[in-house]
Amino acid sequence: MIEIRNYIGGEWKDAISGKKMDVIDPSKGEKYANLSFSNEEDVKDAIHSAQEGWKQWKKTKREERVNLMLKLADLIDEHAELLIDAETKDNGKPRKLAARVDIPRASANIRFFAHAVSQFHGDSFVMDDGSLNVTTYDPLGIVSCISPWNLPLYLFTWKIAPAIATGNTVVAKPSEVTPYTAFLFSQLFHEAGFPAGVLNIVNGVGGEVGEELVKNKLIKAVSFTGSTRTGRIISESVAGEFKKVSLEMGGKNPNVIFADCDYDKMLATTMHSSFSNQGQICLCGSRILVEKSIASKFTNDFVQRTNKLKVGPPTDNETKVGAIVSKEHFEKILSCIETAKKEKGDILCGGHALKMEGEYANGYYIAPTIITNMDQNCKTNQEEIFGPVVTIDTFETEEEAIQKANATQYGLSATVWTSDNRKAIRMSREIEAGIVWINSWLKRDLRTPFGGVKNSGVGREGGIEALKFFTEVKNTCFSQ
Ligand code: NAD
């Protein structure tokens, strides 16, 4: 049995209480590892180590920080096969997806922020009387980074890379549902030669470690990615603490399809934006809004293609849709489908669990599901399902498309399909979202700001935004 332990002060430790919890391989529905079940004492221990680590890290030259990060990125690439297998087992995603997206992106994150920090600089402003303002960006100290289960190592590294690059030390908490790659990462981090205490990983459930992780006075900033429900708890918990908080939360993203789009490209991309990673990507377009004149052709073609999607064990090369991440989430998605049925939605395909054969018989699989004839105000269209489930609705005018696109509490991302550039600009200006893709989906340039509006997020990650988030800006004015 694999033992996934905390990484604190450069050592691997069990939880102080000795408690452990099970880690499940969702493709088989069976336990494969023990995880340290930490509590606030472990968080305090990690914060203490981060404090000790910071004494050295804040004096470490930038060039040395950059070199350590580049070495770490190389180590991730060298151990890619191990990490791909681990992510596949832990999360249930198709192995091919972990190999194409998750693990390459983890090393890219580290490399990107190593390069970015080497170009990160302050500014100066000369006044008419000759006074000189010098603006500097200094590390905050100890920060906490909390990440979810859907893109485990990808999002874990996306947070800690800018934090460490800018000279902070980190207490990180990967999701208890998918902690394996963060544990393997700690070994590579160690091997790269970072000083003890620069990265500390505390495992366990949010309810036990969360409060200390965000409220402790020594934690200067909290970077969180996860559900809007947890984001709200964190936000309430730090209210009055005046610390920096970045919240990347849920979505219910519209995929707006106009009749004048490049139909074949749209259809192929819509398959990905609907069902990639079993629909468990915060950016998936779960509400498809299609112009009425092409709605029936689109619906037929989309259903036909979806029926052909191969759902299966993650390690099978042909699999396009793998296992749902956990039993709890599997049951949640099925209950959302039941709600859609009660709301009188028409299930055009899927709508049920799937049973695999042999060793995968107890895994958590759901057939990709398309639902139609649902009002935008119903629960199915309002609440994040975060699974292989999409709805189709129609519109006749641009105004109606905008009204429906904006008709939720969320505002993370949107996709618009049209060959009319002026229409695309109008749509992008009107849609309430932090990210809008025109004629594409999930094209990511790591320099761009990333985040949501409304109940999808507060603050932005990515590029310079992340470097600024993890630093305190100071202006010094020199006068004669
Ligand atoms: P979650 O909110 O349940 O958990 C996220 C992390 O927060 C986990 O590490 C969890 O242990 C921790 N946590 C839970 N309770 C906590 C508390 N009280 N205090 C501190 N930490 C706590 O989310 P999840 O189910 O792991 O992930 C799925 C959600 O994440 C979806 O809503 C999805 O849209 C969202 N997500 C958003 C983005 C984005 O960039 N906006 C990216 C990926 C996922």
Side-chain angles (χ1 to χ4, degrees):
M1 192 64 54
I2 295 165
E3 297 292 327
I4 300 178
R5 306 166 85 198
N6 294 338
Y7 177 63
I8 298 178
E11 291 172 16
W12 290 272
K13 297 180 175 182
D14 287 329
I16 293 166
S17 69
K19 274 197 185 172
K20 291 178 183 184
M21 62 186 287
D22 295 348
V23 187
I24 308 293
D25 170 350
S27 73
K28 298 177 181 166
E30 82 185 16
K31 174 176 173 178
Y32 80 93
N34 284 310
L35 178 70
S36 297
F37 186 91
S38 311
N39 63 25
E40 64 173 81
E41 294 310 313
D42 301 286
V43 180
K44 283 184 181 147
D45 186 21
I47 292 174
H48 173 73
S49 294
Q51 203 178 11
E52 290 302 304
W54 198 51
K55 290 178 187 161
Q56 186 181 344
W57 193 236
K58 68 180 170 187
K59 290 191 203 140
T60 303
K61 289 200 175 89
R62 182 164 44 188
E63 193 183 346
E64 204 176 321
R65 294 203 303 264
V66 168
N67 286 341
L68 283 167
M69 289 183 72
L70 294 176
K71 186 164 176 203
L72 174 61
D74 289 345
L75 282 170
I76 294 174
D77 290 344
E78 279 166 35
H79 294 82
E81 291 299 305
L82 172 74
L83 293 164
I84 291 163
D85 286 340
E87 205 70 293
T88 306
K89 193 177 193 62
D90 215 16
N91 179 278
K93 66 179 67 208
R95 191 183 188 283
K96 270 186 158 171
L97 185 68
R100 186 167 51 81
V101 177
D102 293 73
I103 304 310
R105 179 59 192 275
S107 59
N109 285 337
I110 304 285
R111 215 168 263 127
F112 172 80
F113 281 110
H115 292 308
V117 83
S118 67
Q119 307 297 316
F120 187 42
H121 57 81
D123 216 334
S124 63
F125 306 86
V126 184
M127 297 174 73
D128 289 341
D129 69 357
S131 301
L132 178 65
N133 291 284
V134 177
T135 306
T136 49
Y137 292 90
D138 299 314
L140 301 171
I142 309 167
V143 299
S144 69
C145 296
I146 304 170
S147 47
W149 49 253
N150 65 323
L151 300 163
L153 192 63
Y154 172 134
L155 288 174
F156 184 81
T157 49
W158 178 238
K159 291 191 173 299
I160 67 167
I164 287 170
T166 45
N168 302 282
T169 54
V170 174
V171 179
K173 198 196 98 54
S175 168
E176 64 277 19
V177 183
T178 54
Y180 192 19
T181 45
F183 173 69
L184 296 174
F185 177 84
S186 71
Q187 296 171 348
L188 302 178
F189 192 87
H190 200 79
E191 190 181 333
F194 284 87
V198 173
L199 171 66
N200 304 275
I201 302 177
V202 180
N203 288 294
V205 299
E208 291 286 324
V209 298
E211 180 143 327
E212 193 64 26
L213 206 51
V214 301
K215 246 190 142 165
N216 189 299
K217 295 252 179 280
L218 291 169
I219 299 284
K220 300 297 178 203
V222 179
S223 175
F224 166 80
T225 298
S227 64
T228 299
R229 184 180 45 81
T230 306
R232 185 170 283 119
I233 294 172
I234 291 175
S235 184
E236 285 168 1
S237 166
V238 298
E241 299 284 334
F242 308 118
K243 58 178 78 181
K244 285 185 159 188
V245 182
S246 165
L247 302 171
E248 302 293 340
M249 304 183 285
K252 192 77 184 172
N253 310 308
N255 177 7
V256 185
I257 302 166
F258 285 96
D260 63 3
C261 70
D262 175 340
Y263 187 84
D264 292 343
K265 184 180 177 202
M266 175 281 295
L267 187 60
T269 310
T270 295
M271 295 303 296
H272 293 296
S273 66
S274 302
F275 303 121
S276 279
N277 207 35
Q278 299 68 251
Q280 302 166 143
I281 300 180
C282 54
L283 304 162
C284 278
S286 53
R287 289 183 302 131
I288 297 174
L289 304 171
V290 56
E291 193 164 354
K292 206 162 195 166
S293 58
I294 58 161
S296 111
K297 174 177 167 50
F298 167 76
T299 305
N300 285 339
D301 291 346
F302 184 49
V303 168
Q304 210 178 57
R305 282 219 191 180
T306 303
N307 275 327
K308 286 190 194 143
L309 269 186
K310 168 97 167 48
V311 182
T315 45
D316 184 335
N317 253 345
E318 300 305 310
T319 291
K320 293 283 186 297
V321 177
I324 301 299
V325 74
S326 66
K327 186 161 193 279
E328 192 188 349
H329 195 54
F330 169 79
E331 284 167 357
K332 182 206 145 174
I333 296 169
L334 291 176
S335 87
C336 291
I337 294 172
E338 286 312 305
T339 301
K341 288 178 188 166
K342 282 191 200 126
E343 289 180 320
K344 309 246 180 299
D346 289 338
I347 312 280
L348 301 183
C349 66
H352 53 81
L354 288 172
K355 201 155 181 68
M356 299 294 133
E357 288 176 353
E359 57 180 334
Y360 300 102
N362 294 324
Y364 316 128
Y365 299 88
I366 294 180
T369 300
I370 302 172
I371 311 172
T372 189
N373 281 335
M374 307 222 72
D375 189 90
Q376 285 301 315
N377 293 323
C378 70
K379 229 173 155 185
T380 305
N381 272 324
Q382 287 295 316
E383 293 180 7
E384 187 183 43
I385 298 172
F386 214 53
V389 180
V390 295
T391 61
I392 302 179
D393 192 3
T394 60
F395 64 86
E396 288 185 79
T397 63
E398 226 175 285
E399 291 67 32
E400 193 186 358
I402 292 164
Q403 183 268 322
K404 288 187 171 177
N406 289 340
T408 75
Q409 57 166 317
Y410 295 108
L412 187 55
S413 72
T415 297
V416 178
W417 292 96
T418 175
S419 52
D420 177 343
N421 280 342
R422 279 182 288 192
K423 193 195 287 177
I425 292 169
R426 287 195 299 273
M427 290 299 291
S428 158
R429 301 293 300 158
E430 291 295 331
I431 287 179
E432 296 162 353
I435 302 148
V436 180
W437 281 290
I438 308 291
N439 300 326
S440 69
W441 177 70
L442 207 56
K443 258 194 199 307
R444 289 282 294 119
D445 179 330
L446 303 191
R447 294 169 299 180
T448 59
F450 180 94
V453 302
K454 302 201 289 195
N455 289 2
S456 288
V458 177
R460 291 292 180 274
E461 296 187 333
I464 194 87
E465 304 289 335
L467 300 177
K468 286 188 173 173
F469 176 76
F470 285 114
T471 51
E472 196 65 83
V473 61
K474 182 191 281 174
N475 188 69
T476 308
C477 181
F478 295 90
S479 281
Q480 305 282 354

